[in-house]
Amino acid sequence: MRRVVRGFWGARKESAEALTRRWKLTLDQLAEILPAGGSGAVWTWRQIHSSGPATDLLPNEDSLLAALRAAREADGWSDRVGFGLRLVLAGEPGWKIEVSGNGGGVSEFLHQSMVIGVGSPDDAEISDGNLLAAVAEAWEPDFGDVTDDDVLDALEDDAGFVVGEPSIGWVGYLSPARAALLPEGMTAGHKELRVGGVLLDIAPRGNVQDVLRAYLRLRDAGALQPLPCPMDRAVL
């Protein structure tokens, strides 16, 4: 079984040090929420590079900061694009976690993002809400979701969804300004987060039609309107 946990935001300039804290919080939370996803007391991630072999990376501040600084020093780095890391970890049989993040950039047209792919045994008990809350609390995104290919295909085929626009999955996150636009009747199944914004429990996994209906309601209410383009801020 595979699910994807995502958070997106607009232009937000941040230092390598600030991003290190966000990355460490994210990886610490993954180890707590998905203990079977890795092995050992401290997980050792594999960092995927654009060229050359993968290398080991421990989820501590020194290692993460060094990786982000190395990304900044690589050929072609731009402060508009920001700092990107891609990490992979294989744990117990049937488990694989992939984390790809890009933050600290000020591009007017490219979203910053945190995307976590979780491959797990079919019978694994996973709190999708906790996973998305971890992304929201670490990265303070504009919107986010827990989704899969079936949901994304349905949104594209039946609702005119375009990749890059705000969306939801069977769990969704909306920043405070988006949450203020929730339509009547959709405020009961939400949880306010410490960093602001709300977590929405949309539907059970596999119930694509309920996700589709909720997406259309939120879009019609304005809660899923795109950021102004060119983007000049991180959230709506």
Side-chain angles (χ1 to χ4, degrees):
M1 180 180 297
R2 178 175 166 80
R3 54 180 41 81
V4 181
V5 187
R6 313 185 302 169
F8 299 93
W9 59 98
R12 184 170 66 205
K13 186 175 182 178
E14 293 184 273
S15 67
E17 290 77 9
L19 292 170
T20 293
R21 292 189 288 272
R22 295 187 188 275
W23 269 100
K24 186 175 187 307
L25 179 57
T26 302
L27 299 182
D28 287 348
Q29 285 295 300
L30 286 177
E32 183 175 329
I33 297 168
L34 303 172
S39 58
V42 177
W43 291 359
T44 299
W45 294 83
R46 297 288 286 170
Q47 182 182 357
I48 308 300
H49 304 277
S50 57
S51 61
T55 55
D56 287 349
L57 187 144
L58 291 173
N60 58 56
E61 290 192 6
D62 289 344
S63 298
L64 289 165
L65 181 57
L68 289 167
R69 285 176 171 168
R72 181 177 58 194
E73 294 163 5
D75 291 341
W77 182 84
S78 165
D79 61 352
R80 302 192 68 78
V81 176
F83 300 81
L85 289 181
R86 184 183 172 199
L87 308 178
V88 177
L89 183 142
E92 295 182 10
W95 285 90
K96 184 177 181 180
I97 305 174
E98 304 166 85
V99 184
S100 180
N102 203 85
V106 293
S107 172
E108 298 172 326
F109 304 103
L110 177 68
H111 278 107
Q112 308 293 293
S113 63
M114 170 55 57
V115 179
I116 303 171
V118 180
S120 65
D122 290 346
D123 60 351
E125 294 186 7
I126 296 175
S127 173
D128 293 321
N130 286 350
L131 285 172
L132 187 53
V135 169
E137 291 175 350
W139 295 93
E140 301 172 83
D142 187 34
F143 59 92
D145 57 19
V146 184
T147 190
D148 62 11
D149 288 342
D150 291 340
V151 169
L152 292 173
D153 288 345
L155 295 184
E156 289 186 46
D157 294 343
D158 300 330
F161 168 70
V162 176
V163 174
E165 293 181 350
S167 65
I168 57 165
W170 56 88
V171 183
Y173 169 79
L174 300 178
S175 59
R178 294 187 182 279
L181 298 172
L182 280 172
E184 186 177 353
M186 291 193 71
T187 58
H190 80 274
K191 175 185 177 183
E192 295 185 6
L193 297 184
R194 175 180 53 83
V195 294
V198 298
L199 206 65
L200 299 172
D201 187 3
I202 300 294
R205 178 185 171 93
N207 193 334
V208 176
Q209 289 306 308
D210 277 0
V211 175
L212 179 61
R213 282 190 286 269
Y215 168 82
L216 291 171
R217 288 194 64 196
L218 289 167
R219 189 178 67 180
D220 290 347
L224 297 178
Q225 61 183 295
L227 282 171
C229 195
M231 291 183 286
D232 59 359
R233 55 186 183 270
V235 299
L236 188 67

